[in-house]
Amino acid sequence: MFRTSLGKPLHRLTEKQKKKLFFIEALRTRYKVDYDKVQPIPFIKDRVYCVDKVYVEGGLEFMPTEHVTRGSGSWERLESYKSVFSDQRIQSVRRIFEGEPGYGKTTFTLQLAYDWCHRVEGSPMQDVEVLIILRMRQLSGIRSIYRAIEVYPLGSDPRVRDADIAAIIRESKSAVVILDGYDEYPDQHSRRETDVQRILKLDLFENTPVILTTRYLPDYLAPITKRVRLTGFDEIARDEYIRKAVVGEDKIALSIIKARLKENPVLEDLCQVPLIFVMFAHIAYENQDFQNFKSVTEFFRYMIRCFHEHLKNKSKELNTVRYSIDENEHAALDKLAFLAISQENQQITWSLEGMCEQLGQDFYETYLSLGIFVEEEVGSYNSCMEVEVRFYHKLFCEWYAAHRIVHILSQLGRSVSLEKLFRHMKPEDVHYVYRFACGLNRDVGSSIIQYLSGPRGTFQFRIICILEQSGDVKGTLGDLRILCSGTVIIKRSDSRLLQRSTVQLLDIAATRGIIVSSLHLDQCFVKFDDTDACIVFKSGLRLTNLKTVKVMRVTGRIRETDCDSKGIEVTREELIGICQTCETLKEIRFEGREYLLPLSVPVEKIGLIARCSGSHWGSSRNSGLAISLTTS
């Protein structure tokens, strides 16, 4: 006899149970549509995967604080997404998963959907009875969470209404709600309170676990909220993806793709972003003429050309629509992209009608075919499903916006106020706009670099833009030597962009044999990772090339009350690893009460003499004076 997922024959179910059964099956059907159409390369429409065939875990970290904080405290490694509900350190009914654009937040939710539908053993979804996933960008004007569920993913089916959904969630043995992409939620600043705001404040779904994915923290948060963040792909994750989704067991092909990445060190930072690395890996595998790139701009230009070439080749087939546009003519798109990111509140979606009106039907359909645009059905307050359009990734919007900036500055020159032009474009939010613009036009790049010499920019980011402009490290070596002759400081309070820029410059310095006189790591050091021979920062960034550092000073928080109760333990192995990695190191100093240092150091292994300065090894907490290792 056929039994339903509720464990009873269908004819013996009550009306309430039948509604619940229909509801669960409708969710499974909707999620299967989503997780079965993962498209790693946007311009190859016929290469679509189930998420489980391509999903690779990137880095995960959590903030082990008793109360949610907006500061940049210490982050600790989380072993796997499978421990989301089982790890006692992040036990809560409110969890936030943070990640920059392209870091795999939505792919993570699709994997959870797959796990739930298939009851994957070991998954946090294995024993969940009801899983609700809502894409926040689709919920404009829908204040009720139950109405949002009814509209999407159920599609306003009359068999299950708002009240039924509320009862099903309330009476389920276990339910989980995932709100994906809060940073794209149109009503996040609504003056009228929405159910989403009530959920975040714990005024709704008080006992139901809720996961929120976002680029940044919302204004409304319950104190019990736990923070987890996605840190992107390291080398291990990149290798796993290449094997899993690109080359299979072909070791030669794997080594070729890895070699192409090493030949393009300028892409190392960009390929930490899973979405970008995925495109890089497939393009590097598909194209025999894959070239070396001197800048991110060169790589992006090549990637866009690959999109167009693929569509041109497909259009030559019998009974296909002919490719009829000039790939270099996209002024209307440039303007649209620039207006989107130059507003105080950046625009991320457009109505289908509005987009076609601005760009023209033929142009729009071509760019949809290219994969640069993506269409989505979204719910609306009047229950009708509408089609909205967005860029495949924010980087594409920044690419075309940079073209508009180049056009404005090359046409109007000095009559344009850069302060007004970039008023709402902070480098830490849209730093690729600046880099692309510098790489697209040398003269415009010079104007932007001069602008970045002011309070908006940093010395480090300015050099990165110079490198993007010239495509040649030689043009930056003079400035880089000046930077490295003094003290290079990386602070915990620095933006991720500033930290990343400084790390890139230190890597160039090490590659070129430029001595770094003094490196000061202020409240950002977490540990030395012996596996990768690198220093790990609290931001999740890694400093991998240390061989030309002469003096290293690591400072922690000074006051006992500012420190985490456990402190940060620095082991003998870590100290030895740092000293052995830094080939020119003369002195290393740890200062502040934050660090717990070892009782002794086997100095014969590192050729250094340990010297205490007003403190002693192995104290319960460093007294705040310096502990140094100095060469004999």
Side-chain angles (χ1 to χ4, degrees):
M1 180 184 296
F2 171 76
R3 289 183 177 271
T4 67
S5 58
L6 298 180
K8 294 181 180 180
L10 185 62
H11 70 276
R12 297 187 60 182
L13 296 179
T14 65
E15 283 303 311
K16 182 182 288 188
Q17 289 173 327
K18 288 180 180 178
K19 285 186 177 182
K20 183 176 183 179
L21 176 64
F22 166 76
F23 179 67
I24 291 174
E25 292 307 314
L27 292 177
R28 293 186 193 279
T29 301
R30 173 69 255 180
Y31 299 157
K32 187 176 188 305
V33 171
D34 292 338
Y35 69 64
D36 264 347
K37 62 176 185 181
V38 176
Q39 194 175 332
I41 322 177
F43 63 85
I44 303 183
K45 298 287 187 181
D46 54 356
R47 191 167 300 176
V48 178
Y49 299 85
C50 173
V51 66
D52 194 55
K53 300 300 181 185
V54 295
Y55 180 73
V56 170
E57 286 196 62
L60 281 176
E61 297 176 337
F62 72 96
M63 184 174 284
T65 55
E66 293 183 4
H67 300 285
V68 67
T69 174
R70 296 179 187 279
S72 51
S74 300
W75 293 83
E76 296 184 10
R77 181 180 176 84
L78 193 65
E79 290 303 318
S80 169
Y81 84 96
K82 294 182 178 180
S83 59
V84 167
F85 291 156
S86 60
D87 195 314
Q88 293 297 317
R89 298 172 297 177
I90 54 172
Q91 282 295 308
S92 178
V93 291
R94 294 294 181 271
R95 299 174 181 86
I96 286 184
F97 277 70
E98 304 167 50
E100 295 181 23
Y103 271 60
K105 299 183 293 295
T106 296
T107 307
F108 164 71
T109 66
L110 290 175
Q111 183 63 42
L112 292 180
Y114 175 90
D115 290 356
W116 178 70
C117 290
H118 294 268
R119 298 187 181 279
V120 173
E121 187 174 353
S123 167
M125 297 292 107
Q126 182 178 1
D127 298 320
V128 172
E129 187 175 19
V130 175
L131 174 65
I132 306 294
I133 300 178
L134 293 172
R135 308 291 179 219
M136 302 304 294
R137 62 176 173 265
Q138 300 174 328
L139 305 182
S140 178
I142 305 177
R143 294 175 58 210
S144 165
I145 195 70
Y146 304 113
R147 182 64 178 145
I149 297 168
E150 182 184 355
V151 173
Y152 183 93
L154 293 187
S156 299
D157 192 293
R159 284 173 286 184
V160 179
R161 312 304 295 177
D162 301 24
D164 301 320
I165 295 170
I168 290 170
I169 295 174
R170 184 175 59 252
E171 297 169 9
S172 292
K173 296 177 183 177
S174 58
V176 172
V177 176
I178 298 178
L179 305 176
D180 181 39
Y182 179 82
D183 53 286
E184 300 177 347
Y185 179 41
D187 298 337
Q188 58 182 281
H189 300 300
S190 172
R191 293 181 180 180
R192 298 181 64 189
E193 188 176 54
T194 66
D195 278 355
V196 170
Q197 294 168 352
R198 295 181 61 215
I199 289 170
L200 297 180
K201 291 188 291 185
L202 209 63
D203 293 337
L204 183 63
F205 293 161
E206 297 92 334
N207 301 310
T208 301
V210 175
I211 292 175
L212 182 86
T213 72
T214 182
R215 283 173 50 213
Y216 49 75
L217 293 180
D219 295 331
Y220 311 93
L221 284 174
I224 64 169
T225 304
K226 296 293 185 180
R227 292 175 64 185
V228 180
R229 71 177 178 188
L230 289 75
T231 59
F233 275 1
D234 58 12
E235 186 174 359
I236 295 174
R238 291 197 291 256
D239 287 359
E240 183 181 351
Y241 180 84
I242 295 171
R243 284 192 294 267
K244 189 174 184 178
V246 184
V247 303
E249 298 302 318
D250 190 338
K251 294 181 179 179
I252 295 177
L254 171 64
S255 63
I256 290 174
I257 295 174
K258 291 181 66 175
R260 285 178 169 174
L261 183 57
K262 288 184 177 180
E263 290 166 1
N264 291 273
V266 71
L267 302 181
E268 179 71 23
D269 180 60
L270 194 62
C271 282
Q272 183 181 339
V273 182
L275 182 142
I276 301 301
F277 173 74
V278 163
M279 287 193 285
F280 167 86
H282 285 277
I283 292 173
Y285 179 66
E286 299 281 345
N287 293 273
Q288 298 301 317
D289 63 340
F290 195 81
Q291 63 192 62
N292 292 339
F293 304 100
K294 295 179 180 179
S295 67
V296 173
T297 305
E298 278 193 4
F299 169 68
F300 221 82
R301 183 186 287 117
Y302 175 83
M303 186 171 68
I304 295 292
R305 192 170 73 244
C306 287
F307 284 28
H308 283 278
E309 288 298 326
H310 179 81
L311 188 59
K312 284 179 186 177
N313 292 334
K314 286 196 70 174
S315 72
K316 295 175 183 177
E317 298 172 0
L318 189 63
N319 294 326
T320 58
V321 177
R322 293 299 175 195
Y323 179 94
S324 59
I325 70 166
D326 184 342
E327 66 182 83
N328 296 313
E329 295 294 331
H330 40 73
L333 177 58
D334 300 344
K335 185 176 181 180
L336 178 144
F338 172 76
L339 291 174
I341 68 167
S342 61
Q343 304 176 51
E344 187 173 2
N345 295 316
Q346 296 182 10
Q347 184 174 359
I348 57 173
T349 62
W350 291 260
S351 69
L352 175 59
E353 295 78 9
M355 182 73 89
C356 291
E357 183 179 342
Q358 292 185 64
L359 303 179
Q361 189 72 34
D362 290 344
F363 184 96
Y364 170 76
E365 290 181 356
T366 298
Y367 274 68
L368 183 67
S369 298
L370 287 170
I372 291 173
F373 292 151
V374 176
E375 290 183 349
E376 286 185 329
E377 280 193 334
V378 298
S380 65
Y381 68 93
N382 61 7
S383 302
C384 297
M385 299 301 287
E386 300 175 353
V387 176
E388 286 189 344
V389 183
R390 62 179 175 86
F391 282 94
Y392 179 77
H393 187 267
K394 185 185 176 186
L395 273 178
F396 290 97
C397 186
E398 295 190 32
W399 171 255
Y400 291 106
H403 282 77
R404 178 63 177 174
I405 290 170
V406 168
H407 172 77
I408 292 172
L409 293 180
S410 60
Q411 292 292 315
L412 302 177
R414 295 184 180 274
S415 65
V416 177
S417 167
L418 294 185
E419 191 64 41
K420 290 184 178 179
L421 186 68
F422 293 120
R423 181 169 61 252
H424 297 306
M425 289 186 282
K426 298 177 182 178
E428 56 266 31
D429 292 335
V430 290
H431 66 277
Y432 282 109
V433 167
Y434 289 86
R435 294 178 67 172
F436 288 151
C438 290
L440 288 169
N441 185 293
R442 187 176 185 84
D443 293 334
V444 168
S446 296
S447 298
I448 293 174
I449 290 164
Q450 185 176 0
Y451 166 75
L452 291 172
S453 300
R456 270 297 189 95
T458 63
F459 188 68
Q460 293 92 324
F461 186 53
R462 185 164 64 88
I463 295 179
I464 292 294
C465 288
I466 293 172
L467 178 60
E468 196 71 38
Q469 177 194 37
S470 64
D472 187 358
V473 174
K474 291 180 181 178
T476 68
L477 292 184
D479 287 330
L480 188 55
R481 286 194 175 94
I482 293 172
L483 175 69
C484 294
S485 63
T487 298
V488 178
I489 304 177
I490 302 178
K491 299 179 181 179
R492 185 187 69 165
S493 58
D494 288 342
S495 67
R496 191 174 174 86
L497 168 63
L498 178 54
Q499 287 192 358
R500 184 189 288 122
S501 299
T502 309
V503 166
Q504 285 182 313
L505 293 176
L506 289 171
D507 184 62
I508 295 171
T511 303
R512 293 284 168 163
I514 297 173
I515 297 296
V516 179
S517 299
S518 176
L519 175 61
H520 180 190
L521 306 180
D522 181 35
Q523 300 185 39
C524 60
F525 176 93
V526 171
K527 65 178 180 178
F528 178 82
D529 188 333
D530 185 57
T531 304
D532 296 329
C534 67
I535 287 175
V536 181
F537 296 153
K538 292 176 182 177
S539 64
L541 294 176
R542 291 169 173 250
L543 179 56
T544 56
N545 208 334
L546 299 160
K547 62 183 181 181
T548 59
V549 174
K550 192 173 182 181
V551 174
M552 186 182 299
R553 181 183 174 211
V554 182
T555 53
R557 285 166 284 190
I558 297 173
R559 294 181 302 172
E560 188 88 34
T561 54
D562 289 339
C563 301
D564 178 54
S565 58
K566 296 186 296 183
I568 296 176
E569 182 180 2
V570 182
T571 66
R572 290 188 300 173
E573 290 72 24
E574 287 180 281
L575 285 169
I576 292 170
I578 293 171
C579 296
Q580 291 178 333
T581 302
C582 303
E583 298 174 4
T584 60
L585 189 69
K586 296 296 182 182
E587 183 177 359
I588 180 170
R589 300 166 64 86
F590 281 83
E591 304 173 13
R593 294 181 178 272
E594 189 168 14
Y595 299 108
L596 305 177
L597 298 163
L599 286 167
S600 62
V601 179
V603 294
E604 67 279 0
K605 289 190 177 183
I606 54 178
L608 298 177
I609 298 174
R611 186 182 71 224
C612 297
S613 299
S615 184
H616 63 281
W617 295 101
S619 59
S620 59
R621 201 179 280 283
N622 183 350
S623 69
L625 300 177
I627 293 180
S628 63
L629 292 173
T630 307
T631 55
S632 54

